[in-house]
């Protein structure tokens, strides 16, 4: 069984910063891409940022220059540093991992989500 556990969400004022973390645990053989998605009320879930095992990154245009994704392969953990936050960044943020397990093959796993609210 695999779990993705997120932390670091909360309430922050516009212009502030937050750092999200997501740790994967369980019967993991290897982790390929890891990423962060978000879903605001009434909107579809969208990709925020992704990082390959080798460290190549991809960002949504709306967060380029403000957010930074990184990962620690030894800890099976992905991070999202969010700076210069705007009210439109308010959403539930979900961690995603494409990984290979010892018993269930390769597939996508999702975290439970963490709320990020940007408001004065």
């Amino acid at each position: 069984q695999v779990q993705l556990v997120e932390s670091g969400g909360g309430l922050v004022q516009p212009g502030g910063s937050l750092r999200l973390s997501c740790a994967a645990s369980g019967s993991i053989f290897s982790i390929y891409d890891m990423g962060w998605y978000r879903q605001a009320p009434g909107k579809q879930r969208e990709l925020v940022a992704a990082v390959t095992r080798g460290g190549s990154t991809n960002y949504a245009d709306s967060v380029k220059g403000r957010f930074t994704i990184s990962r620690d392969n030894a800890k099976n953990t992905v991070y999202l540093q969010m700076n210069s936050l705007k009210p439109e960044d308010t959403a539930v943020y979900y961690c995603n991992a494409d990984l290979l397990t010892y018993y269930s093959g390769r597939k996508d796993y999702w975290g439970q989500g963490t709320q990020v609210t940007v408001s004065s």
Side-chain angles (χ1 to χ4, degrees):
Q1 190 172 356
V2 172
Q3 282 190 316
L4 300 184
V5 179
E6 299 141 339
S7 60
L11 173 64
V12 64
Q13 292 187 341
S17 298
L18 283 174
R19 189 190 194 212
L20 305 182
S21 299
C22 172
S25 63
S27 304
I28 298 170
F29 182 78
S30 182
I31 303 179
Y32 303 99
D33 292 356
M34 301 186 81
W36 290 94
Y37 288 72
R38 66 186 180 188
Q39 187 167 19
K43 295 188 176 181
Q44 289 189 329
R45 190 174 297 190
E46 63 175 359
L47 174 68
V48 175
V51 58
T52 68
R53 183 170 181 83
S56 296
T57 59
N58 179 42
Y59 295 93
D61 288 343
S62 59
V63 307
K64 283 180 181 176
R66 301 188 297 122
F67 291 10
T68 302
I69 190 170
S70 61
R71 64 189 282 175
D72 184 334
N73 291 331
K75 296 182 179 179
N76 288 343
T77 300
V78 62
Y79 307 96
L80 186 67
Q81 178 66 44
M82 304 185 293
N83 298 330
S84 302
L85 282 160
K86 305 175 180 180
E88 51 263 43
D89 294 318
T90 296
V92 178
Y93 284 70
Y94 296 92
C95 173
N96 172 269
D98 172 15
L99 58 87
L100 177 66
T101 70
Y102 286 102
Y103 306 111
S104 301
R106 179 175 177 177
K107 60 182 179 180
D108 271 354
Y109 288 84
W110 292 89
Q112 79 284 0
T114 185
Q115 178 70 46
V116 172
T117 302
V118 184
S119 175
S120 55

